[in-house]
Amino acid sequence: MNVIIYDIEILRAIQSRGESRLEGIDYCAGWQDHANMGISVVGVYDYAEDRYRAFCADNRRELLNLIGERRPLCVGFNNIRFDNAVMRVSEGWDAPADAECYDLLRETWVASGLGPEFNFKTHGGFGLDAMCEKNFGTKKTGNGALAPVLWQRGQIGEVIDYCLNDVRLTKQLFDAVLRGDYIKHPKGGPDLTLRFPDGVQ
């Protein structure tokens, strides 16, 4: 199956409201400042090779070749709105085309009767952690906002491990879609049926 699951971690930290900046840590201007976030690692699960992979600055060319030559369906969670946006403006990284992506968060919103674009009044509460805990009893191993701080402090392995666990959780959810399973609503609504991705056998 020519499909990959992917997730990025950013390089520069984001200051939360009411939080002081940490000494020695580089920051970007906020969650919309895609151009200045940078990328520390892209985690991938490759269905064709049945393996997890981590791509950093030194081996990012391999990821570009994987996406550009094989043209897999690229599956993520909020990947169209966030991961792709950051990859497009980060030096040395190319994002897959949105048309070649399947965004599990967006598909969950649509299956819930919401629009595909985020609205803070209606679209909250559908995070990866909430979705996977409700459906599989699995959870994230950290916080994406903390990952840039850990990376800048040299805790590289911890960030890669966290990123690959997010890929694993995303794969759990996508595998359920491939099986045709009902997805439990994270906020207690009716069970959901997510659209089966085009072109997947």
PDB file of all heavy atoms in Angstrom, residues 156-177:
ATOM      1  N   ILE A 156      17.357  15.280  22.006  1.00  0.00           N
ATOM      2  CA  ILE A 156      16.945  14.916  20.651  1.00  0.00           C
ATOM      3  C   ILE A 156      16.160  13.608  20.633  1.00  0.00           C
ATOM      4  O   ILE A 156      15.098  13.497  20.010  1.00  0.00           O
ATOM      5  CB  ILE A 156      18.187  14.803  19.729  1.00  0.00           C
ATOM      6  CG1 ILE A 156      19.025  16.081  19.785  1.00  0.00           C
ATOM      7  CG2 ILE A 156      17.778  14.464  18.307  1.00  0.00           C
ATOM      8  CD1 ILE A 156      18.319  17.339  19.431  1.00  0.00           C
ATOM      9  N   GLY A 157      16.687  12.607  21.309  1.00  0.00           N
ATOM     10  CA  GLY A 157      16.020  11.308  21.321  1.00  0.00           C
ATOM     11  C   GLY A 157      14.622  11.383  21.894  1.00  0.00           C
ATOM     12  O   GLY A 157      13.704  10.708  21.402  1.00  0.00           O
ATOM     13  N   GLU A 158      14.438  12.200  22.933  1.00  0.00           N
ATOM     14  CA  GLU A 158      13.119  12.335  23.554  1.00  0.00           C
ATOM     15  C   GLU A 158      12.109  12.928  22.577  1.00  0.00           C
ATOM     16  O   GLU A 158      10.952  12.492  22.513  1.00  0.00           O
ATOM     17  CB  GLU A 158      13.230  13.198  24.806  1.00  0.00           C
ATOM     18  CG  GLU A 158      11.971  13.236  25.637  1.00  0.00           C
ATOM     19  CD  GLU A 158      12.149  13.929  26.977  1.00  0.00           C
ATOM     20  OE1 GLU A 158      13.305  14.168  27.376  1.00  0.00           O
ATOM     21  OE2 GLU A 158      11.134  14.224  27.624  1.00  0.00           O
ATOM     22  N   VAL A 159      12.547  13.908  21.782  1.00  0.00           N
ATOM     23  CA  VAL A 159      11.649  14.536  20.805  1.00  0.00           C
ATOM     24  C   VAL A 159      11.311  13.554  19.686  1.00  0.00           C
ATOM     25  O   VAL A 159      10.149  13.441  19.267  1.00  0.00           O
ATOM     26  CB  VAL A 159      12.272  15.825  20.237  1.00  0.00           C
ATOM     27  CG1 VAL A 159      11.385  16.413  19.141  1.00  0.00           C
ATOM     28  CG2 VAL A 159      12.486  16.849  21.347  1.00  0.00           C
ATOM     29  N   ILE A 160      12.303  12.839  19.183  1.00  0.00           N
ATOM     30  CA  ILE A 160      12.046  11.857  18.119  1.00  0.00           C
ATOM     31  C   ILE A 160      11.107  10.769  18.620  1.00  0.00           C
ATOM     32  O   ILE A 160      10.173  10.358  17.915  1.00  0.00           O
ATOM     33  CB  ILE A 160      13.368  11.275  17.601  1.00  0.00           C
ATOM     34  CG1 ILE A 160      14.157  12.357  16.848  1.00  0.00           C
ATOM     35  CG2 ILE A 160      13.116  10.072  16.697  1.00  0.00           C
ATOM     36  CD1 ILE A 160      15.540  11.940  16.413  1.00  0.00           C
ATOM     37  N   ASP A 161      11.324  10.305  19.846  1.00  0.00           N
ATOM     38  CA  ASP A 161      10.455   9.283  20.429  1.00  0.00           C
ATOM     39  C   ASP A 161       9.019   9.789  20.535  1.00  0.00           C
ATOM     40  O   ASP A 161       8.061   9.077  20.220  1.00  0.00           O
ATOM     41  CB  ASP A 161      10.993   8.890  21.802  1.00  0.00           C
ATOM     42  CG  ASP A 161      10.217   7.750  22.434  1.00  0.00           C
ATOM     43  OD1 ASP A 161      10.245   6.636  21.873  1.00  0.00           O
ATOM     44  OD2 ASP A 161       9.575   7.970  23.486  1.00  0.00           O
ATOM     45  N   TYR A 162       8.866  11.033  20.998  1.00  0.00           N
ATOM     46  CA  TYR A 162       7.534  11.641  21.104  1.00  0.00           C
ATOM     47  C   TYR A 162       6.869  11.743  19.733  1.00  0.00           C
ATOM     48  O   TYR A 162       5.693  11.400  19.561  1.00  0.00           O
ATOM     49  CB  TYR A 162       7.649  13.020  21.750  1.00  0.00           C
ATOM     50  CG  TYR A 162       6.428  13.882  21.561  1.00  0.00           C
ATOM     51  CD1 TYR A 162       5.249  13.617  22.251  1.00  0.00           C
ATOM     52  CD2 TYR A 162       6.448  14.949  20.656  1.00  0.00           C
ATOM     53  CE1 TYR A 162       4.113  14.397  22.056  1.00  0.00           C
ATOM     54  CE2 TYR A 162       5.315  15.728  20.461  1.00  0.00           C
ATOM     55  CZ  TYR A 162       4.158  15.449  21.162  1.00  0.00           C
ATOM     56  OH  TYR A 162       3.038  16.212  20.963  1.00  0.00           O
ATOM     57  N   CYS A 163       7.632  12.200  18.732  1.00  0.00           N
ATOM     58  CA  CYS A 163       7.094  12.364  17.381  1.00  0.00           C
ATOM     59  C   CYS A 163       6.635  11.026  16.809  1.00  0.00           C
ATOM     60  O   CYS A 163       5.545  10.919  16.237  1.00  0.00           O
ATOM     61  CB  CYS A 163       8.157  13.005  16.486  1.00  0.00           C
ATOM     62  SG  CYS A 163       7.615  13.316  14.792  1.00  0.00           S
ATOM     63  N   LEU A 164       7.452  10.005  16.969  1.00  0.00           N
ATOM     64  CA  LEU A 164       7.096   8.692  16.413  1.00  0.00           C
ATOM     65  C   LEU A 164       5.903   8.084  17.134  1.00  0.00           C
ATOM     66  O   LEU A 164       5.123   7.331  16.531  1.00  0.00           O
ATOM     67  CB  LEU A 164       8.298   7.755  16.451  1.00  0.00           C
ATOM     68  CG  LEU A 164       9.433   8.102  15.484  1.00  0.00           C
ATOM     69  CD1 LEU A 164      10.583   7.118  15.642  1.00  0.00           C
ATOM     70  CD2 LEU A 164       8.945   8.119  14.034  1.00  0.00           C
ATOM     71  N   ASN A 165       5.717   8.412  18.425  1.00  0.00           N
ATOM     72  CA  ASN A 165       4.511   7.943  19.099  1.00  0.00           C
ATOM     73  C   ASN A 165       3.272   8.626  18.535  1.00  0.00           C
ATOM     74  O   ASN A 165       2.222   7.987  18.382  1.00  0.00           O
ATOM     75  CB  ASN A 165       4.589   8.167  20.604  1.00  0.00           C
ATOM     76  CG  ASN A 165       3.427   7.520  21.334  1.00  0.00           C
ATOM     77  OD1 ASN A 165       3.257   6.304  21.307  1.00  0.00           O
ATOM     78  ND2 ASN A 165       2.591   8.327  21.975  1.00  0.00           N
ATOM     79  N   ASP A 166       3.374   9.909  18.202  1.00  0.00           N
ATOM     80  CA  ASP A 166       2.244  10.581  17.544  1.00  0.00           C
ATOM     81  C   ASP A 166       1.930   9.931  16.203  1.00  0.00           C
ATOM     82  O   ASP A 166       0.759   9.800  15.820  1.00  0.00           O
ATOM     83  CB  ASP A 166       2.557  12.065  17.342  1.00  0.00           C
ATOM     84  CG  ASP A 166       2.165  12.920  18.544  1.00  0.00           C
ATOM     85  OD1 ASP A 166       1.820  12.345  19.604  1.00  0.00           O
ATOM     86  OD2 ASP A 166       2.200  14.158  18.435  1.00  0.00           O
ATOM     87  N   VAL A 167       2.975   9.530  15.477  1.00  0.00           N
ATOM     88  CA  VAL A 167       2.762   8.810  14.217  1.00  0.00           C
ATOM     89  C   VAL A 167       2.038   7.493  14.487  1.00  0.00           C
ATOM     90  O   VAL A 167       1.104   7.114  13.768  1.00  0.00           O
ATOM     91  CB  VAL A 167       4.103   8.572  13.490  1.00  0.00           C
ATOM     92  CG1 VAL A 167       3.913   7.664  12.279  1.00  0.00           C
ATOM     93  CG2 VAL A 167       4.724   9.899  13.058  1.00  0.00           C
ATOM     94  N   ARG A 168       2.450   6.785  15.535  1.00  0.00           N
ATOM     95  CA  ARG A 168       1.803   5.520  15.903  1.00  0.00           C
ATOM     96  C   ARG A 168       0.324   5.725  16.217  1.00  0.00           C
ATOM     97  O   ARG A 168      -0.539   4.946  15.786  1.00  0.00           O
ATOM     98  CB  ARG A 168       2.518   4.903  17.105  1.00  0.00           C
ATOM     99  CG  ARG A 168       1.941   3.566  17.560  1.00  0.00           C
ATOM    100  CD  ARG A 168       2.673   3.056  18.798  1.00  0.00           C
ATOM    101  NE  ARG A 168       2.377   3.849  19.977  1.00  0.00           N
ATOM    102  CZ  ARG A 168       1.363   3.588  20.826  1.00  0.00           C
ATOM    103  NH1 ARG A 168       0.546   2.571  20.602  1.00  0.00           N
ATOM    104  NH2 ARG A 168       1.171   4.348  21.891  1.00  0.00           N
ATOM    105  N   LEU A 169       0.002   6.782  16.976  1.00  0.00           N
ATOM    106  CA  LEU A 169      -1.392   7.063  17.307  1.00  0.00           C
ATOM    107  C   LEU A 169      -2.198   7.395  16.051  1.00  0.00           C
ATOM    108  O   LEU A 169      -3.346   6.946  15.894  1.00  0.00           O
ATOM    109  CB  LEU A 169      -1.473   8.222  18.301  1.00  0.00           C
ATOM    110  CG  LEU A 169      -0.853   8.010  19.679  1.00  0.00           C
ATOM    111  CD1 LEU A 169      -1.035   9.257  20.537  1.00  0.00           C
ATOM    112  CD2 LEU A 169      -1.438   6.797  20.379  1.00  0.00           C
ATOM    113  N   THR A 170      -1.596   8.186  15.173  1.00  0.00           N
ATOM    114  CA  THR A 170      -2.276   8.530  13.918  1.00  0.00           C
ATOM    115  C   THR A 170      -2.526   7.277  13.088  1.00  0.00           C
ATOM    116  O   THR A 170      -3.596   7.118  12.483  1.00  0.00           O
ATOM    117  CB  THR A 170      -1.435   9.548  13.124  1.00  0.00           C
ATOM    118  OG1 THR A 170      -1.164  10.683  13.960  1.00  0.00           O
ATOM    119  CG2 THR A 170      -2.153  10.018  11.876  1.00  0.00           C
ATOM    120  N   LYS A 171      -1.561   6.376  13.076  1.00  0.00           N
ATOM    121  CA  LYS A 171      -1.720   5.109  12.351  1.00  0.00           C
ATOM    122  C   LYS A 171      -2.849   4.281  12.952  1.00  0.00           C
ATOM    123  O   LYS A 171      -3.623   3.647  12.217  1.00  0.00           O
ATOM    124  CB  LYS A 171      -0.408   4.325  12.362  1.00  0.00           C
ATOM    125  CG  LYS A 171      -0.482   2.994  11.610  1.00  0.00           C
ATOM    126  CD  LYS A 171       0.848   2.268  11.658  1.00  0.00           C
ATOM    127  CE  LYS A 171       0.788   0.973  10.853  1.00  0.00           C
ATOM    128  NZ  LYS A 171      -0.145  -0.023  11.439  1.00  0.00           N
ATOM    129  N   GLN A 172      -2.960   4.248  14.285  1.00  0.00           N
ATOM    130  CA  GLN A 172      -4.064   3.517  14.916  1.00  0.00           C
ATOM    131  C   GLN A 172      -5.409   4.009  14.380  1.00  0.00           C
ATOM    132  O   GLN A 172      -6.295   3.213  14.049  1.00  0.00           O
ATOM    133  CB  GLN A 172      -4.034   3.709  16.431  1.00  0.00           C
ATOM    134  CG  GLN A 172      -3.045   2.857  17.181  1.00  0.00           C
ATOM    135  CD  GLN A 172      -3.235   2.986  18.680  1.00  0.00           C
ATOM    136  OE1 GLN A 172      -3.389   4.097  19.206  1.00  0.00           O
ATOM    137  NE2 GLN A 172      -3.231   1.876  19.382  1.00  0.00           N
ATOM    138  N   LEU A 173      -5.538   5.315  14.314  1.00  0.00           N
ATOM    139  CA  LEU A 173      -6.793   5.908  13.858  1.00  0.00           C
ATOM    140  C   LEU A 173      -7.030   5.617  12.383  1.00  0.00           C
ATOM    141  O   LEU A 173      -8.142   5.249  11.972  1.00  0.00           O
ATOM    142  CB  LEU A 173      -6.750   7.416  14.127  1.00  0.00           C
ATOM    143  CG  LEU A 173      -8.045   8.196  14.023  1.00  0.00           C
ATOM    144  CD1 LEU A 173      -9.134   7.614  14.906  1.00  0.00           C
ATOM    145  CD2 LEU A 173      -7.796   9.656  14.374  1.00  0.00           C
ATOM    146  N   PHE A 174      -5.988   5.754  11.564  1.00  0.00           N
ATOM    147  CA  PHE A 174      -6.133   5.495  10.130  1.00  0.00           C
ATOM    148  C   PHE A 174      -6.429   4.024   9.868  1.00  0.00           C
ATOM    149  O   PHE A 174      -7.254   3.694   9.001  1.00  0.00           O
ATOM    150  CB  PHE A 174      -4.870   5.923   9.393  1.00  0.00           C
ATOM    151  CG  PHE A 174      -4.978   5.825   7.901  1.00  0.00           C
ATOM    152  CD1 PHE A 174      -5.883   6.615   7.199  1.00  0.00           C
ATOM    153  CD2 PHE A 174      -4.174   4.949   7.181  1.00  0.00           C
ATOM    154  CE1 PHE A 174      -5.986   6.532   5.813  1.00  0.00           C
ATOM    155  CE2 PHE A 174      -4.279   4.858   5.803  1.00  0.00           C
ATOM    156  CZ  PHE A 174      -5.190   5.650   5.115  1.00  0.00           C
ATOM    157  N   ASP A 175      -5.797   3.120  10.597  1.00  0.00           N
ATOM    158  CA  ASP A 175      -6.077   1.691  10.424  1.00  0.00           C
ATOM    159  C   ASP A 175      -7.538   1.379  10.728  1.00  0.00           C
ATOM    160  O   ASP A 175      -8.160   0.534  10.071  1.00  0.00           O
ATOM    161  CB  ASP A 175      -5.165   0.852  11.321  1.00  0.00           C
ATOM    162  CG  ASP A 175      -3.735   0.762  10.800  1.00  0.00           C
ATOM    163  OD1 ASP A 175      -3.504   1.077   9.608  1.00  0.00           O
ATOM    164  OD2 ASP A 175      -2.844   0.384  11.588  1.00  0.00           O
ATOM    165  N   ALA A 176      -8.102   2.061  11.722  1.00  0.00           N
ATOM    166  CA  ALA A 176      -9.524   1.875  12.038  1.00  0.00           C
ATOM    167  C   ALA A 176     -10.398   2.334  10.875  1.00  0.00           C
ATOM    168  O   ALA A 176     -11.408   1.689  10.547  1.00  0.00           O
ATOM    169  CB  ALA A 176      -9.884   2.626  13.315  1.00  0.00           C
ATOM    170  N   VAL A 177     -10.015   3.434  10.238  1.00  0.00           N
ATOM    171  CA  VAL A 177     -10.755   3.908   9.053  1.00  0.00           C
ATOM    172  C   VAL A 177     -10.655   2.879   7.931  1.00  0.00           C
ATOM    173  O   VAL A 177     -11.653   2.563   7.262  1.00  0.00           O
ATOM    174  CB  VAL A 177     -10.203   5.277   8.595  1.00  0.00           C
ATOM    175  CG1 VAL A 177     -10.839   5.693   7.269  1.00  0.00           C
ATOM    176  CG2 VAL A 177     -10.452   6.346   9.656  1.00  0.00           C
TER     177      VAL A 177
END
